[in-house]
Amino acid sequence: ARRMELRVYDFSGQLVYSAAVEGAPNVIDGHFAYRHTWQAAGAASGVYLYVVDVYGDNDAKSSASGKFALVR
């Protein structure tokens, strides 16, 4: 993989954060992994949705999505 893009949305669908990480991923326990920290100081408690797109050689794209709760 060459690039990872992360988008975080609030539960109403509003984009609240996006980031891109360039370069090759780390290898952790035999799996490829990117690490990125979201400094969510301004974000309210609630349920958020995320979308991660990873682009590899020849711009092949893999995506994952899910939800998480931020509790303050």
Side-chain angles (χ1 to χ4, degrees):
R2 294 188 216 165
R3 182 176 80 249
M4 182 272 302
E5 295 177 356
L6 167 67
R7 294 183 309 282
V8 178
Y9 300 89
D10 64 18
F11 211 68
S12 70
Q14 185 76 24
L15 179 67
V16 296
Y17 182 78
S18 65
V21 177
E22 298 287 338
N26 297 310
V27 178
I28 301 173
D29 294 330
H31 300 281
F32 294 112
Y34 283 96
R35 176 176 279 187
H36 180 75
T37 302
W38 174 29
Q39 300 295 332
S45 293
V47 176
Y48 291 84
L49 310 171
Y50 67 86
V51 177
V52 178
D53 294 322
V54 178
Y55 297 88
D57 296 331
N58 300 322
D59 286 327
K61 177 180 168 183
S62 295
S63 296
S65 61
K67 58 186 172 183
F68 64 94
L70 178 62
V71 180
R72 300 224 176 249

